[in-house]
Amino acid sequence: MRMPEGAYRPHENLVATAREKPQIWRLLLGLIVAGFVTFFAGFAMRTVLGVVSPDFQRELLNPANGEGNTPLTLLLLLFSFGFVILGIFVAARLVQQRSPLSMIGPLPLAIRQFLRVAVLVVMLGILVMILPPYDMGEPLESNLPVGIWLALLPISLLAVLTQVASEEILFRGYIQQSLAARFRSPLVWMVVPAILFGIGHYVPAQAGANAALIAVWAFGFGVMAADITARAGTLGPAIALHMINNVTAILIVSVPDSLSGLALATTPFSLSETENLRSWMLVDFGFIVVSWLAARLAIRR
């Protein structure tokens, strides 16, 4: 995979500290450490919930409620991804002796790039909404009342930000940068994390025949997020792309099967329904590709 001369030079700003201890065993050990920290932090949270609010814990664990199909359970689920961030930060410090924030890049630059990309992608989304066609077939179903949805929106956005930041710090941060410190080829440090990202989104129990397609969609997004991270030298643009996508899918229009507790509306079809869902996914992936290209322009300003 040949890249334009110097296109990924900013990536070195992220990789430099990982390059000091580039052994692959450190990457693998770090993932184990991060897994243990995440697991035990989650276990501690569930234990505290069981003592403080047994009724809420029973509601959270009740399979009949689905996964995150009420506002409280979904907020708790999304914020629990903060334990992943904690785990990766601990692993980076203990195993690679690198500053955890070095995986994100210079914070002022990361925030500026995040805002540039987010504003541009939101503008693209508004443009898509006002252009024909004006619907996706069957009408959407109302989920949360508008007043409640607006009242929850600030904390909902923070919860989604926590979730997407954890995934970007894990895949485009710790894994991608650790691989780039050992292997110079983008075929390794772009593609391997994207494959893992796709596998993480393979959910046949929920998606049925759509599971493989969803995993391929996630792989494609992972490659684009890796590219924009390498060009930007921070995780800001990838987090922005990821967040706009998840805000749309979790807070605006969700599927009714799971993760619908904070959505304004839900689709009239489930995650496993092939015809309708695949039409939505095609449009969604096209929008992500356009957003990725726009983000590349935004970070060049």
Side-chain angles (χ1 to χ4, degrees), residues 4-279:
E5 184 69 24
Y8 289 165
R9 191 170 299 156
H11 197 219
E12 284 301 308
N13 297 330
L14 293 171
V15 178
T17 55
R19 207 179 291 284
E20 296 176 6
K21 296 185 182 296
Q23 297 87 351
I24 291 300
W25 68 262
R26 292 183 184 273
L27 166 61
L28 299 176
L29 178 60
L31 292 175
I32 293 172
V33 170
F36 271 110
V37 172
T38 302
F39 173 80
F40 285 111
F43 177 78
M45 179 193 70
R46 291 189 295 272
T47 301
V48 171
L49 274 178
V51 173
V52 175
S53 181
D55 292 338
F56 178 67
Q57 187 186 49
R58 281 192 291 271
E59 178 187 0
L60 181 66
L61 299 177
N62 186 357
N65 293 333
E67 185 181 18
N69 283 344
T70 66
L72 278 177
T73 57
L74 183 51
L75 283 172
L76 185 63
L77 176 63
L78 294 175
F79 277 122
S80 69
F81 278 84
F83 298 141
V84 176
I85 298 176
L86 175 63
I88 292 297
F89 281 6
V90 170
R93 175 63 73 184
L94 292 182
V95 180
Q96 292 183 329
Q97 285 83 56
R98 64 184 296 201
S99 165
L101 292 181
S102 67
M103 290 182 288
I104 299 174
L107 281 181
L109 178 59
I111 293 170
R112 288 198 303 272
Q113 291 177 334
F114 173 92
L115 293 174
R116 285 179 184 175
V117 172
V119 168
L120 186 56
V121 174
V122 168
M123 290 173 62
L124 283 173
I126 293 172
L127 181 62
V128 168
M129 289 176 62
I130 64 177
L131 291 175
Y134 300 107
D135 59 52
M136 287 290 293
E138 300 177 55
L140 299 174
E141 298 177 359
S142 178
N143 190 47
L144 281 181
V146 175
I148 295 177
W149 183 81
L150 287 173
L152 289 172
L153 188 57
I155 192 171
S156 298
L157 289 171
L158 183 59
V160 174
L161 176 61
T162 302
Q163 181 254 322
V164 300
S166 74
E167 293 188 351
E168 292 307 314
I169 290 171
L170 173 59
F171 290 99
R172 263 62 68 179
Y174 191 71
I175 298 177
Q176 175 172 318
Q177 293 165 29
S178 296
L179 289 173
R182 178 63 181 81
F183 304 99
R184 292 196 175 274
S185 173
L187 281 173
V188 177
W189 55 260
M190 286 180 67
V191 174
V192 172
I195 291 173
L196 296 175
F197 189 68
I199 292 172
H201 287 75
Y202 182 69
V203 284
Q206 298 177 13
N210 292 323
L213 186 60
I214 291 172
V216 170
W217 185 105
F219 167 79
F221 176 86
V223 171
M224 288 183 280
D227 171 80
I228 200 68
T229 297
R231 292 174 183 274
T234 80
L235 293 185
I239 292 175
L241 279 179
H242 201 159
M243 183 169 180
I244 298 302
N245 178 78
N246 283 24
V247 163
T248 303
I250 295 176
L251 302 187
I252 300 178
V253 180
S254 176
V255 291
D257 312 66
S258 62
L259 308 181
S260 63
L262 297 169
L264 184 61
T266 59
T267 61
F269 50 83
S270 68
L271 195 63
S272 60
E273 188 173 336
T274 56
E275 183 178 354
N276 289 309
L277 185 78
R278 291 179 181 183
S279 297

